[in-house]
Amino acid sequence: MIRKASNKDIPRIIELLHQVNMVHHVIRPDLFKPHTTKYNEQELETMLDDDSKPIFVYDDGLVLGYAFCQVTEVRGNQLLEDIKTLYIDDICVDENARGRHIGKALYKYVRDYAKSIGCNNITLNVWEGNDPAISFYKNMGMQVQKTTMEIIL
């Protein structure tokens, strides 16, 4: 079952955040510290109360995955068209539960949610080198919108 996250889910979400961080640390140890998380418990509590940052969890008795989202709107911008976007800040499926289509279910749930609140599109970032994630998002129908480039000095 997919549902909005609640405070009781925070300890499990923290465990999953550790898994995601280690994926990023392995790909980019120059950027990501090991054994830490993107958010702490207090930040998660604040996010759970913010309707513009919904967090959804896949729960089958144990939270096996999550999707962190952010809803943004551009209105009256000189350059950009008015648009409402759902940004997927993070999707994680427990490494021991992969291959059970949990990520696909979470993604479809988020896509349906975005449609239901009038979003024009869904965006996200994925790190170069995270080939499984890139393949997953392409299989979900996503395509490259823009590319961030760097040079390491």
Side-chain angles (χ1 to χ4, degrees), residues 60-111:
D60 77 347
L62 177 67
V63 171
L64 296 177
Y66 66 66
F68 283 73
C69 304
Q70 295 176 14
V71 178
T72 60
E73 287 191 67
V74 172
R75 295 279 178 240
N77 185 283
Q78 179 176 322
L79 175 65
L80 301 174
E81 295 288 346
D82 290 353
I83 191 170
K84 186 174 186 178
T85 297
L86 185 135
Y87 171 72
I88 298 175
D89 180 39
D90 205 8
I91 284 186
C92 175
V93 173
D94 186 301
E95 58 196 8
N96 297 313
R98 296 200 180 133
R100 294 172 42 190
H101 306 290
I102 293 168
K104 185 175 186 177
L106 279 164
Y107 179 84
K108 286 183 174 183
Y109 188 92
V110 167
R111 187 185 63 207

